Amino acid sequence: MKPLPENIQGVLFDLDGTLLDSAPDLYAALLAQCTEEGAPPPPYAPVREVVSRGARAVLRCAFADRGEPALEALVPRYLQLYQDMLAQQTRSFDGVDELLARIEAHGLRWGIVTNKAAFLTDELVARIGWSQRASAVVSGDTLAVKKPDPAPVLLACERAGVVPAQSLFVGDDRRDILAGAAAGLYTVAVSWGYLDGGDPHTWGADKILNHPAELAELLQLQPVTA
């Protein structure tokens, strides 16, 4: 297995399914749209599994039988409903707040690379209270390409002022691992996220972790004392 780089400078994270459990709000928005459209609501589990793939994947859970053109027409309203519900039920995963505090206390930088649209990302990060803490936030429409392309990860490294070869990329989707590896970062797949129905052991990650505390241990970050 690939050894951890020496002199780690920073850690970049995917957002939904890695740092934040945003599925409850994404599901609530879908339920609201089902009510508006007179459609039967899908169960939560299959929706949660696909939320990392974006609005269209979520909408297919309820409206796949209508066809892609009709589904595409539903996207703007879904995003509006989701924005209205942003951060109502979204919470950081257990152990994430402690992990970020340890990263900061150790003098490392951390940032976010997500495929979520910037107007949603920026508002969500602000409501969670991370806007002034994250060294870089790169969204799905910051560039013309998104993950698994490495360009957003490289841009985040540049904005955070970290060297890719001395940084980690952490995510719960195969696209995160592909993007991080192509950008030259040490890649970490996390099993606590949505996983898009996949098995992180097949993604080629340098490390697979089951809890945020394990990342703190991997980086040898000591607990933050009051």
Side-chain angles (χ1 to χ4, degrees), residues 112-195:
I112 294 167
V113 183
T114 175
N115 281 354
K116 202 184 203 82
F119 81 97
L120 294 171
T121 301
D122 294 343
E123 185 174 349
L124 179 57
V125 170
R127 291 194 189 188
I128 296 296
W130 290 345
S131 294
Q132 302 305 313
R133 296 174 61 186
S135 296
V137 178
V138 176
S139 299
D141 52 358
T142 302
L143 299 174
V145 295
K146 60 181 68 175
K147 300 176 296 184
D149 194 288
V153 179
L154 291 171
L155 177 61
C157 288
E158 179 182 335
R159 289 182 173 180
V162 299
V163 177
Q166 293 175 261
S167 304
L168 284 72
F169 191 72
V170 184
D172 72 314
D173 191 283
R174 184 172 180 269
R175 290 167 297 181
D176 299 319
I177 305 307
L178 292 174
L185 284 71
Y186 184 92
T187 57
V188 178
V190 301
S191 66
W192 64 77
Y194 304 138
L195 307 182

Side-chain angles (χ1 to χ4, degrees), residues 37-208:
E37 294 289 327
Y44 176 67
V47 177
R48 183 184 190 277
E49 188 174 277
V50 302
V51 295
S52 292
R53 279 191 265 157
R56 289 158 186 82
V58 171
L59 287 168
R60 286 189 193 98
C61 293
F63 304 107
D65 60 334
R66 298 192 182 186
E68 288 301 307
L71 187 143
E72 191 67 28
L74 293 171
V75 171
R77 177 56 177 161
Y78 174 73
L79 293 178
Q80 181 182 37
L81 288 166
Y82 173 54
Q83 186 177 24
D84 291 343
M85 300 175 180
L86 205 62
Q88 288 187 6
Q89 301 180 71
T90 295
R91 300 290 184 271
S92 57
F93 283 102
D94 179 47
V96 162
D97 292 332
E98 172 66 17
L99 170 63
L100 297 180
R102 290 195 192 191
I103 288 173
E104 293 168 349
H106 200 264
L108 303 180
R109 298 177 183 180
W110 66 272
I112 294 167
V113 183
T114 175
N115 281 354
K116 202 184 203 82
F119 81 97
L120 294 171
T121 301
D122 294 343
E123 185 174 349
L124 179 57
V125 170
R127 291 194 189 188
I128 296 296
W130 290 345
S131 294
Q132 302 305 313
R133 296 174 61 186
S135 296
V137 178
V138 176
S139 299
D141 52 358
T142 302
L143 299 174
V145 295
K146 60 181 68 175
K147 300 176 296 184
D149 194 288
V153 179
L154 291 171
L155 177 61
C157 288
E158 179 182 335
R159 289 182 173 180
V162 299
V163 177
Q166 293 175 261
S167 304
L168 284 72
F169 191 72
V170 184
D172 72 314
D173 191 283
R174 184 172 180 269
R175 290 167 297 181
D176 299 319
I177 305 307
L178 292 174
L185 284 71
Y186 184 92
T187 57
V188 178
V190 301
S191 66
W192 64 77
Y194 304 138
L195 307 182
D196 196 16
D199 178 1
H201 292 86
T202 67
W203 298 344
D206 298 314
K207 195 75 172 180
I208 300 171

